[in-house]
Amino acid sequence: MSKNEKSSDERLPNRQVQRTCSWIFEALLLLMDEKPYDKITVTDIIEKAGIARQTFYRNFKDKNEVIVKYFTNIFNSELLTIENINKKDKQENIILTFNIKYMINHRANIKKLLTIVGIKDLFTDSFTEWHNMLFNQKKNKLNKEAQLVYWYKIHYQITGIIIVIMDWFKNDMPLPVSNLVRLLNFYTVDTKTIFSNVPNIKIKIIDN
């Protein structure tokens, strides 16, 4: 067997996991048309998905994790791009690009999920990985005070930005994309006048 063939075979279990997670998520969406989210049980989900109970718990600890992993996956794969821009003056900027095309194309499903009570708290709790990644990239270049400023800046801006985008989407995008970007960048916390080596975080939103 060649290395390429082996690599292809090794990907098969991952594709099966993806299919199983998709069935579980779709089952949960269908159940939300039948009853309130807080009334849906894991038993309901596995019966609707046609899977074994152990299969569900092999992938998720509870129904909330089904939602959190769905949002996390689409942000990682479809919506969010993070890049660092080094300017001539050595001021490092972090550009967060949100591609809302996926949200628009899957509007019905996402709007349904955004109606779940507490979904914002569930989702923002899953941002820890992004926060740590951005913080760890720069922390060794900062003194203790600047590290704290940067850490709170990441939490304040990224969490706030995503909540605003979710609310904007949930309410049928009442502002044009260009106005939304202008609004979000207006709220950008510019720390360079006091902490010159703390990166600024800028927002780009695209729909293509």
Side-chain angles (χ1 to χ4, degrees), residues 101-119:
K101 181 179 179 181
Y102 185 96
M103 296 181 77
I104 293 171
N105 290 342
H106 297 78
R107 180 179 304 185
N109 288 348
I110 294 176
K111 287 189 69 174
K112 186 186 298 184
L113 297 176
L114 291 177
T115 64
I116 298 172
V117 175
I119 188 62

Side-chain angles (χ1 to χ4, degrees), residues 186-203:
F186 176 78
Y187 292 133
T188 294
V189 180
D190 188 348
T191 52
K192 66 182 179 181
T193 56
I194 301 175
F195 298 93
S196 60
N197 55 347
V198 173
N200 283 320
I201 299 173
K202 296 289 185 179
I203 309 303

